Amino acid sequence: IYSIGPGGSVMEEPYNATGSGSPFAYGVLEQQFEEGLSNEEAKTVATDAVKSAVERDTASGNGIIISEITDAGVDIEVHDDFDELL
């Protein structure tokens, strides 16, 4: 994943979180992320991270959009309920 910082810097990272809920998301990502996760496992980790942010930060919204990138293309799913993914 490549992230672009506010000053224009580009960093390659294994995962990234931004916004007011990012400290909560990073707590989950740092505990659950491992190199070599399958796409399904990575979606679960990402969902847990966003759910943690939403539960603790009122500015983080109340749903999740999952974008999965594969050789076949990009699949985008919108979910209002985290239980659909966990």
Side-chain angles (χ1 to χ4, degrees):
I1 292 188
Y2 292 91
S3 63
I4 301 174
S9 62
V10 177
M11 306 264 308
E12 183 177 5
E13 304 173 293
Y15 53 82
N16 188 20
T18 61
S20 61
S22 64
F24 306 110
Y26 268 116
V28 173
L29 292 169
E30 289 170 349
Q31 288 183 339
Q32 295 185 16
F33 176 82
E34 297 175 6
E35 290 289 335
L37 291 173
S38 69
N39 280 7
E40 288 304 312
E41 292 168 329
K43 283 198 273 188
T44 299
V45 171
T47 300
D48 280 342
V50 173
K51 183 179 180 187
S52 178
V54 166
E55 288 176 345
R56 291 165 181 82
D57 177 57
T58 58
S60 287
N62 59 357
I64 185 171
I65 300 170
I66 297 283
S67 300
E68 182 178 7
I69 302 168
T70 66
D71 291 336
V74 178
D75 182 33
I76 299 172
E77 301 174 357
V78 178
H79 299 272
D80 293 327
D81 186 358
F82 289 95
D83 293 333
E84 297 173 4
L85 295 167
L86 297 173

